[in-house]
Amino acid sequence: MTTNLAGRTALVTGGARGIGAAIVRRLHADGASVAITDVLVDEGRALAASLGERAAFFEHDVASDAAWHATVAATREAFGGLHILVNNAGIYEPGSIAEADLAGVERQIRVNQLGTFLGMRHAQAPMREAGGGCIVNISSIAGLLGFPGAAAYVGTKWAVRGMTKTAAVEFAPDRIRVNSVHPGFIETPMIGKNSAEANRAGIEATPLKRIGQPDEIAAAVAWLVGADAGFVTGAELTVDGGWVL
């Protein structure tokens, strides 16, 4: 089932590969113009070129306020507005509270948490000018539970969940809906940082007994930004094969 997004512009951070690229392809297929942003320049440009019209790539450090200002401005110049923001960019560096590298902790906070905060801040005004919009923040099942050995990542994903609910209340008068998506074990480069044993345990803990696919997260995002979800804001949509159950 497709969503009619014709005439709307989406900005997807971390859009060059993995879940982000799947979201880009889905929103583009549903008719949206899509700004793909990432620090992975070659992959981002290749994806934009493969999509052709209604797609553009912008190099973008989501932890930089100045970069957000420039990227939103470039998106509006390229496509005439901004109606959808998907804050997908994220990094994962394992580490316990006692032993985690502090530089890695700070990197995760800046990309996962600050990046999402800045995205919402910079999207509000153009969406208000457009008469409304939709923001989807990609959190994780790690934003619902505790995971030993991933304290910084878990903390940032809980923060994304909380900021989503706060923004949903603050942005409602501007007709901007804000929701979060919480993927489980999804087949992306990120899970390659886990041990094989940890990944096997993750699949075993999933009632559907399989790993999820990026397209399944993209489908959830497409629904949230579409008209069928017009009365949905502040929600957390878990796409995890039943893992948190």
Side-chain angles (χ1 to χ4, degrees):
M1 182 178 179
T2 61
T3 304
N4 183 9
L5 300 179
R8 301 175 71 185
T9 297
L11 190 161
V12 181
T13 69
R17 69 180 183 184
I19 290 173
I23 294 169
V24 166
R25 292 189 184 97
R26 175 59 189 264
L27 299 185
H28 187 270
D30 287 353
S33 298
V34 185
I36 306 160
T37 87
D38 211 309
V39 294
L40 301 174
V41 175
D42 291 343
E43 291 172 83
R45 286 176 176 167
L47 177 57
S50 73
L51 295 174
E53 294 183 0
R54 296 187 289 105
F57 172 74
F58 303 108
E59 186 176 0
H60 180 200
D61 173 9
V62 297
S64 165
D65 185 60
W68 266 108
H69 180 82
T71 301
V72 169
T75 299
R76 298 179 73 183
E77 182 178 356
F79 300 120
L82 180 62
H83 310 90
I84 297 166
L85 169 65
V86 183
N87 279 311
N88 167 75
I91 59 173
Y92 167 52
E93 299 186 27
S96 67
I97 293 173
E99 298 178 353
D101 174 68
L102 290 182
V105 170
E106 184 174 356
R107 280 192 295 271
Q108 290 174 91
I109 291 171
R110 288 187 59 79
V111 173
N112 302 356
Q113 183 173 339
L114 179 62
T116 297
F117 175 89
L118 291 173
M120 293 191 293
R121 168 178 278 188
H122 283 274
Q124 185 179 16
M127 288 185 181
R128 183 193 306 120
E129 292 175 15
C134 303
I135 298 173
V136 177
N137 296 323
I138 305 299
S139 179
S140 168
I141 55 173
L144 301 168
L145 303 166
F147 284 86
Y153 182 77
V154 169
T156 63
K157 291 304 185 178
W158 275 78
V160 168
R161 179 187 178 198
M163 291 190 297
T164 297
K165 295 183 184 302
T166 300
V169 176
E170 290 186 0
F171 292 7
D174 295 325
R175 300 182 64 187
I176 300 169
R177 299 187 294 106
V178 190
N179 296 287
S180 59
V181 172
H182 297 256
F185 280 81
I186 308 299
E187 192 169 5
T188 68
M190 186 175 289
I191 67 167
K193 296 186 178 182
N194 295 329
S195 67
E197 181 181 359
N199 285 333
R200 283 194 299 270
I203 294 171
E204 182 60 30
T206 302
L208 292 183
K209 300 302 181 195
R210 67 173 177 85
I211 198 165
Q213 297 301 311
D215 287 348
E216 294 175 300
I217 306 304
V221 172
W223 178 74
L224 282 171
V225 303
D228 286 347
F231 201 53
V232 179
T233 195
E236 51 196 51
L237 179 54
T238 304
V239 188
D240 69 343
W243 200 99
V244 297
L245 300 176

